[in-house]
Amino acid sequence: MGTRSRTEIFSGDVCIASIYRQFDGYPSGQGADIAKIASKRLVNGISGDPALVVNGMGCFAAQLIVVMKEGKAEAGGIYLQEPMKEDGEMGEDYVYRIYGDRMKPEAGVRIEVTGGNVTAFGNPNDPASFKGLFRGTAAEFAAWIAKADDDSEG
């Protein structure tokens, strides 16, 4: 059974992408993929090295999908879907929410993570079981992911 997750990406207060991941949704999997993109500078207009920036939250979402799909155009594992109303609606174990505003790039990216009880594949997870696991900046998220990874090894 895979650890499922949903990642919602917001531009301002509008969800512009909702990504379902069928496996590796735990913080050291999906969280690490998010941290790779969140470490880049949020900009409004590309200048300098384009490998070091995300040009708005739509660009963030596109770059994240490339990382999640490991650069391969293959079926399965990662899906775009409509935003859900409640955590756990798709049976996911973790929900990541990424917020940024292209018109206020200096504010950077903020990330929230919630987690619920792990369920059998295909069963909705109880929304009441979800609790906040993390809320903070991209830099704080990277440190949280590194700590989660260290904790799982030892």
Side-chain angles (χ1 to χ4, degrees), residues 18 38 45 50 60 66 85 87-88 108 112 126 128 151-152:
S18 181
F60 187 107
V66 169
K85 292 181 175 83
D87 291 351
E112 296 177 2
D126 178 8
D151 289 347
S152 69

Side-chain angles (χ1 to χ4, degrees), residues 8-138:
E8 294 180 336
I9 300 170
F10 292 81
S11 181
D13 61 356
V14 176
C15 183
I16 61 167
S18 181
I19 307 164
Y20 174 78
R21 185 173 194 161
Q22 198 166 7
F23 53 87
D24 294 339
Y26 42 84
S28 61
Q30 177 66 1
D33 285 350
I34 291 169
K36 288 175 190 171
I37 305 304
S39 68
K40 298 182 178 192
R41 189 168 49 95
L42 177 64
V43 298
N44 182 9
I46 302 168
S47 62
D49 186 346
L52 302 177
V53 299
V54 291
N55 189 25
M57 297 310 289
C59 184
F60 187 107
Q63 288 188 36
L64 179 59
I65 291 169
V66 169
V67 168
M68 292 169 66
K69 293 289 267 182
E70 299 174 345
K72 300 174 189 167
E74 295 177 353
I78 310 297
Y79 303 91
L80 289 173
Q81 64 180 40
E82 64 186 56
M84 299 287 108
K85 292 181 175 83
E86 294 184 320
D87 291 351
E89 209 172 325
M90 292 286 296
E92 68 272 21
D93 305 299
Y94 293 94
V95 177
Y96 300 85
R97 290 186 176 90
I98 306 161
Y99 300 89
D101 189 334
R102 181 182 187 154
M103 301 313 291
K104 299 177 187 172
E106 67 282 353
V109 172
R110 298 173 326 282
I111 302 168
E112 296 177 2
V113 182
T114 59
N117 296 329
V118 177
T119 62
F121 178 75
N123 293 333
N125 208 330
D126 178 8
S129 77
F130 275 76
K131 62 182 179 183
L133 301 176
F134 174 85
R135 178 182 286 186
T137 67

